[in-house]
Amino acid sequence: MNLSNLVPWRFRGINPFLNTYGDKLLFGRIAKTASIETNPNAKTEIHSAVPHRYLYAYLFAIKSLLYYHSDVSVVIHDDGSLLDEDKRLIKIHLPNCRLIDRAFANAEFEKLNNPFLSKVRGSYTSYLKLFDTTLFNQSERIIILDTDTLFLKEPKEIIDWIINGGNPWYHMAPRGKMKVEKEFEIANYAKLQDVHIQTLIIDDLDDINKSLNKNYTIQQGFCSGFIGYDSGTINFSELEELFKLLYEKFGDKIFRWGAEQTTHGLILCSKGAVSLPLEDYFVFTHANAHLADNAKFLHFVGENRFHKLIYPKLSNVVLKKLKTPR
């Protein structure tokens, strides 16, 4: 027996520890910044699934974007772990936001009377980004933003899209292997996944497209932590058809980490989604850490998140901006 398996994942190093307990310690100073008014009737909504565990990081993420452009509607999806005090804090900092409680969302989704999609949605929290955004969106355009992100410079391409629309888009992870620590323990990953669902789907994509009469494709490196598309691009009829086939082919693997991102990728890439410039918008890794200062947007995921504590250091840069009126 590997003795390390007896130690809870959160205690296996500085990165797991900070991922589990570091949110308020590293990002709590965002609570000292002023609230930001947004527009609940805007043509673009920004949706995020937010857990208690990453509450302050989320406030950094959304405020770092709103600093540059706030004529948007902000929608927060409680993943089920937000406390009442968390919700009050969100409302203080984002007074015009729409905050959707998990219990309410569950009840509303059940009204679709689709037990299969309800099972898929409930299998892990990242699916809220896919299903609940589709259910609750009220705007012309949708942005999905993960909690572990930062905007360091004005994202002019994104602001133009928010105002004028255009093709769907996504940001990219660099080529090569990436370590991940979201929503599962690393020690169990190989046992649970065997082969990652995205690899299985890509390897079988020709047959999937033939069976569904579709032209699905996915760009290697597609990341769903920051994506934009028109309302109506994703619908439950297509999701049901796609997921039923994927379940028939791959079983319970569609209920595990990575399936939501792959599904977003299949649909958006098949509908003309374009990748944001990799030099400006990218997933942070050890290999590209030296480029972080020059980025417009960074997505901090997995074991890379707290590499050399660059993430909290850059959040200090954002904090100074937020405390200085534009």
Side-chain angles (χ1 to χ4, degrees), residues 17-262:
F17 184 84
L18 290 176
N19 268 315
T20 306
Y21 300 112
D23 183 60
K24 189 171 184 178
L25 173 66
L26 296 175
F27 305 110
R29 57 199 180 281
I30 192 69
K32 296 181 180 180
T33 59
S35 63
I36 297 181
E37 297 282 337
T38 54
N39 178 6
N41 299 311
K43 293 182 178 180
T44 300
E45 287 184 354
I46 302 178
H47 290 253
S48 301
V50 180
H52 167 75
R53 180 175 171 182
Y54 300 132
L55 171 65
Y56 292 97
Y58 166 70
L59 290 175
F60 257 109
I62 189 65
K63 281 189 161 188
S64 71
L65 175 56
L66 298 178
Y67 173 79
Y68 296 106
H69 188 81
S70 60
D71 188 19
V72 293
S73 175
V74 174
V75 185
I76 294 98
H77 300 270
D78 168 24
D79 80 333
S81 67
L82 287 180
L83 307 176
D84 288 342
E85 62 193 68
D86 298 336
K87 297 172 186 177
R88 286 193 292 269
L89 184 67
I90 290 171
K91 287 288 189 178
I92 288 171
H93 285 270
L94 306 167
N96 293 329
C97 74
R98 187 155 51 109
L99 203 164
I100 301 172
D101 290 327
R102 181 65 184 269
F104 172 76
N106 291 346
E108 289 298 299
F109 200 87
E110 288 302 316
K111 292 179 182 179
L112 296 179
N113 194 28
N114 193 317
F116 175 71
L117 285 187
S118 291
K119 182 178 180 180
V120 177
R121 172 184 174 271
S123 61
Y124 77 111
T125 56
S126 285
Y127 270 132
L128 298 182
K129 293 162 52 179
L130 178 66
F131 288 101
D132 289 30
T133 296
T134 302
L135 181 63
F136 290 103
N137 175 66
Q138 299 175 352
S139 64
E140 293 182 16
R141 292 182 283 275
I142 293 166
I143 289 176
I144 292 178
L145 180 69
D146 276 5
T147 60
D148 49 0
T149 57
L150 277 181
F151 292 84
L152 304 179
K153 298 176 183 177
E154 184 176 16
K156 293 180 180 179
E157 301 92 339
I158 304 304
I159 294 171
D160 179 72
W161 185 87
I162 288 172
I163 296 170
N164 300 309
N167 289 334
W169 49 264
Y170 57 94
H171 76 299
M172 297 275 287
R175 291 182 179 273
K177 294 182 178 180
M178 291 187 63
K179 297 178 180 179
V180 286
E181 293 182 352
K182 285 186 175 181
E183 302 181 40
F184 58 86
E185 292 190 355
I186 291 295
N188 294 329
Y189 180 66
K191 180 174 65 177
L192 288 173
Q193 295 289 106
D194 298 322
V195 178
H196 194 279
I197 184 64
Q198 183 168 312
T199 299
L200 292 172
I201 288 173
I202 289 174
D203 288 347
D204 201 32
L205 199 51
D206 287 344
D207 191 66
I208 290 170
N209 282 327
K210 183 178 180 180
S211 298
L212 298 177
N213 193 27
K214 295 287 187 178
N215 189 31
Y216 286 129
T217 183
I218 186 170
Q219 174 66 43
Q220 183 179 359
F222 177 98
C223 189
S224 66
F226 184 45
I227 54 178
Y229 53 94
D230 286 346
S231 177
T233 299
I234 297 174
N235 62 75
F236 291 124
S237 177
E238 181 176 7
L239 288 178
E240 181 177 22
E241 182 182 47
L242 175 58
F243 276 116
K244 282 186 174 179
L245 179 63
L246 295 181
Y247 184 64
E248 179 182 316
K249 287 177 171 291
F250 308 121
D252 287 353
K253 290 184 184 296
I254 71 166
F255 303 141
R256 299 172 185 162
W257 184 89
E260 166 270 319
Q261 180 162 274
T262 304

Side-chain angles (χ1 to χ4, degrees), residues 2-13 185 187:
N2 188 342
L3 292 179
S4 66
N5 291 342
L6 301 176
V7 179
W9 168 80
R10 60 189 179 275
F11 295 127
R12 293 181 193 169
E185 292 190 355

